[in-house]
Amino acid sequence: MELDALAVRTREFIRAEVLSIDDRHDGDIEAAGGDGLRVRLQALAAKAGLLAVHAR
């Protein structure tokens, strides 16, 4: 996979899945869902092909 394409997909994922959560909870990971949120975002990232097995 080309690095530029990966960077674009990563930016799109962050824009679609992460930024609104961060905005709603002012960066407070615990208020946003803590470990449950991390697990959910990791699953979404893996589904999008953005999470390497060794990074879990």
Side-chain angles (χ1 to χ4, degrees), residues 23-43:
D23 288 346
R24 278 195 312 272
H25 300 282
D26 198 28
D28 184 341
I29 189 69
E30 289 303 317
D35 198 49
L37 174 64
R38 177 190 59 79
V39 170
R40 185 174 73 82
L41 289 175
Q42 282 180 333

Side-chain angles (χ1 to χ4, degrees), residues 3-15:
L3 188 56
D4 291 337
L6 178 60
V8 167
R9 288 180 37 233
T10 301
R11 279 192 299 271
E12 289 172 355
F13 177 83
I14 291 168
R15 189 175 301 120

